[in-house]
Amino acid sequence: MAANKGLGVVPEFVGRQHIHAFVSFLEIPDAPRVPLQLVYPRHGGHPKVERFVEMAQEAVRGEA
């Protein structure tokens, strides 16, 4: 998107957290809710995966 070569649909929280000067986030008012799953390795993953999971859970609960 930032390279001005396309468009995409992302979860609402992405628009609130990942701001880029060349990207605009527009709400799709009649879009259906889409279930998402967070998948990560139990062992051997990135050292910050636990913090990422915590932040994702906070975002889902509306605490972010």
Side-chain angles (χ1 to χ4, degrees):
M1 276 33 100
N4 199 27
K5 296 187 185 255
L7 60 94
V9 177
V10 297
E12 180 183 1
F13 74 89
V14 173
R16 294 191 311 258
Q17 296 181 357
H18 300 284
I19 305 302
H20 189 283
F22 300 120
V23 176
S24 296
F25 293 91
L26 304 173
E27 180 181 347
I28 304 172
D30 56 348
R33 296 188 63 88
V34 177
L36 298 174
Q37 300 290 323
L38 177 60
V39 181
Y40 56 94
R42 290 181 189 228
H43 305 288
H46 191 278
K48 298 206 183 245
V49 72
E50 287 184 39
R51 180 62 185 132
F52 178 80
V53 171
E54 290 172 7
M55 291 174 67
Q57 290 171 331
E58 290 169 6
V60 168
R61 288 190 301 263
E63 299 174 10

